[in-house]
Amino acid sequence: MTELLLHDVSRWYGNVVAVNDVTMSIGPGITGLLGPNGAGKSTLLSMMAGLLPPSKGSVTIDGVPTRGDVRIYRRIGLVPVAEPLYDFLTGAQFVRLNADLHQVPDPAAATAYAVGEVDMAGAADRRISTYSKGMRQRIKVASALVHDPDVLLLDEPFNGMDPVQRRHMMGLLQRYGDGGKVIVFSSHILEEVEQIARQVEVVVASRHAASGDFAEIRRLMTDRPNQYVVRSSDPRALAGLLLGDDCVRGVRLRTKGLLEVESDDAGRFARVVPRLAREHGIRILELTPTDESLESVFSYLVGA
């Protein structure tokens, strides 16, 4: 059983720390590398692929370092986030190039198979310069699959894909994961990870913030305190009423009659506010969550 292992991995560029003391073990199936943009996901994937050496620590596949060994490169397929491709080549030529580089025994057959896997056979003889962003993504995946790697690394693979293309690609990755491949894909979109990832590794601000199956990660996110701004016809009365409910951790009166409310239970809070307002004749003019961005959720996980 293939194991991709990162042990105390750090990567820095001068005084800039891109990845800081990350340890994780990744086995067969689909693992989602989840985090906001700039968290260090692409740097981690580059080290997993052997493109970048870690400044500290080690990255191995079955005990073999991923950097500097041609044999290990043949076990890895990488789909980078970068857009530039060899636009003067056709899609089939681009995939065939990678097959030749990996010395695949029957490169023509492998190319045809990989192109078919990503549903690009109809456009394989067109130049890449004519491809849409979604088509470029799919031909990159075909190129990464052509040598049948044990480990497939994908950096934001669903960017630019329409819903039909996204469903097809998710199904393809699930099939490969179920077949024993180690698949790691990065995303800053929670729903993408939720749909297909068996394991979730959360990365925030260069650090490994949380690890587990999706249900566990979702529970950590749901249990975090939620903050809201509430504007009503009687803010002082509403503040007193809200403080009487167990789901409210604190209330602060801001200028212009706005309330800042912190709740431990978003679902209960959504039910309590309209009930209290109705029972006491208070009109709710505005209720806005103030920390619903992924960055705020992930930052909470770092401190959790």
Side-chain angles (χ1 to χ4, degrees):
M1 185 174 71
T2 303
E3 181 189 37
L4 173 61
L5 179 63
L6 289 78
H7 181 69
D8 290 338
V9 170
S10 296
R11 172 72 194 192
W12 51 80
Y13 303 90
N15 294 326
V16 178
V17 178
V19 172
N20 188 20
D21 289 332
V22 170
T23 294
M24 60 178 72
S25 175
I26 301 172
I30 301 178
T31 295
L33 195 60
L34 179 64
N37 292 327
K41 303 187 300 295
S42 295
T43 299
L44 277 171
L45 287 171
S46 293
M47 288 191 288
M48 292 178 191
L51 294 181
L52 281 177
S55 301
K56 189 189 77 164
S58 62
V59 184
T60 60
I61 294 176
D62 296 336
V64 179
T66 59
R67 175 79 173 174
D69 189 327
V70 172
R71 292 170 299 176
I72 210 70
Y73 291 155
R74 288 177 178 156
R75 299 184 62 187
I76 300 170
L78 175 65
V79 180
V81 72
E83 282 297 315
L85 299 174
Y86 297 110
D87 284 359
F88 58 89
L89 297 178
T90 66
Q93 289 171 337
F94 177 68
V95 177
R96 172 64 184 263
L97 175 62
N98 207 37
D100 290 337
L101 288 172
H102 283 284
Q103 300 179 357
V104 174
D106 189 345
T111 296
Y113 179 79
V115 168
E117 284 283 82
V118 299
D119 197 24
M120 283 287 287
D125 293 328
R126 285 171 45 189
R127 291 184 185 274
I128 292 175
S129 60
T130 69
Y131 284 1
S132 66
K133 186 172 182 178
M135 294 170 73
R136 285 170 172 260
Q137 289 292 91
R138 286 186 286 157
I139 208 67
K140 285 194 292 184
V141 173
S143 179
L145 290 174
V146 72
H147 58 295
D148 192 27
D150 298 322
V151 178
L152 183 61
L153 308 171
L154 307 101
D155 200 351
E156 302 279 358
F158 306 113
N159 279 355
M161 292 187 183
D162 63 34
V164 173
Q165 294 169 348
R166 187 177 288 109
R167 282 197 301 272
H168 180 272
M169 186 58 63
M170 286 182 173
L172 176 66
L173 295 181
Q174 285 177 316
R175 180 155 52 84
Y176 274 81
D178 291 343
K181 304 288 187 185
V182 174
I183 297 176
V184 184
F185 79 97
S186 71
S187 178
H188 61 281
I189 299 174
L190 200 61
E191 287 72 23
E192 288 182 353
V193 176
E194 181 176 15
Q195 288 183 54
I196 62 171
R198 170 191 62 85
Q199 178 80 4
V200 181
E201 305 291 344
V202 181
V203 181
V204 186
S206 309
R207 295 172 53 197
H208 191 196
S211 178
D213 62 25
F214 190 84
E216 175 66 14
I217 299 300
R218 174 66 88 175
R219 185 192 64 76
L220 286 170
M221 291 180 173
T222 302
D223 287 351
R224 83 192 195 283
N226 296 270
Q227 296 180 349
Y228 303 88
V229 169
V230 184
R231 187 164 60 91
S232 70
S233 60
D234 193 341
R236 293 186 182 277
L238 182 60
L241 293 168
L242 289 174
L243 284 170
D245 194 278
D246 291 340
C247 77
V248 174
R249 177 183 290 191
V251 178
R252 186 162 69 93
L253 185 63
R254 283 175 36 179
T255 58
K256 300 181 181 179
L258 293 177
L259 295 180
E260 280 186 354
V261 184
E262 190 171 282
S263 171
D264 289 326
D265 187 333
R268 179 175 172 82
F269 182 75
R271 297 189 299 271
V272 164
V273 172
R275 178 178 60 79
L276 289 175
R278 185 175 59 252
E279 291 175 354
H280 296 271
I282 300 171
R283 286 183 298 126
I284 302 298
L285 306 174
E286 177 187 349
L287 195 159
T288 306
T290 60
D291 63 347
E292 287 302 297
S293 69
L294 281 178
E295 284 80 1
S296 68
V297 174
F298 294 145
S299 295
Y300 172 73
L301 286 178
V302 171

